[in-house]
Amino acid sequence: MRGVAARRCTGAKFAVGRLDARRRSWQQGERVRDPLEALLDRFLSLLEDYSIDPQFKEPEDLSDDELKNAVIELLRRHTVSQISARARISSISATAFTHRRD
């Protein structure tokens, strides 16, 4: 996803590679868990609105720039979410530590 956001990888190349990687991981019994699973699900739903083959592109399909911008926003939200979750855990840990009774 970072490659798509940085334009090192096209949406089409990522989509094809991701499908192959997902198939291999399922065959090997690997599973992705949240929060990465939710992020990948949202990204894969974006790919449903993106035409891998320009020959079959429809007017409502995402352009390369629209896909890139959507991926950047997904990654930004994921990062903010992870930072917020870590801050909550740190706050809870600090509160638990300061409220201990001996």
Side-chain angles (χ1 to χ4, degrees):
M1 283 185 276
R2 289 183 187 121
V4 172
R7 293 210 169 223
R8 291 188 310 264
C9 177
T10 65
K13 186 174 180 179
F14 181 88
V16 170
R18 173 69 189 130
L19 291 173
D20 289 343
R22 190 174 193 186
R23 189 176 307 110
R24 279 193 312 275
S25 70
W26 274 95
Q27 289 170 348
Q28 295 171 359
E30 298 172 5
R31 300 296 181 264
V32 177
R33 297 202 171 125
D34 276 332
L36 181 59
E37 180 179 33
L39 179 66
L40 287 173
D41 285 346
R42 286 191 292 269
F43 183 70
L44 292 174
S45 71
L46 283 174
L47 288 177
E48 290 176 8
D49 294 330
Y50 175 79
S51 179
I52 294 173
D53 188 338
Q55 177 181 348
F56 299 109
K57 185 168 177 54
E58 297 179 4
E60 65 274 3
D61 286 343
L62 294 173
S63 68
D64 289 335
D65 282 339
E66 290 170 325
L67 178 65
K68 177 192 68 107
N69 292 335
V71 169
I72 289 170
E73 180 62 18
L74 276 178
L75 291 172
R76 186 195 66 75
R77 286 182 185 177
H78 177 73
T79 301
V80 168
S81 173
Q82 291 300 302
I83 291 169
S84 295
R86 286 188 199 118
R88 280 192 304 273
I89 290 169
S90 294
S91 174
I92 291 168
S93 296
T95 301
F97 181 74
T98 58
H99 287 49
R100 272 191 189 159
R101 294 183 181 204
D102 293 323

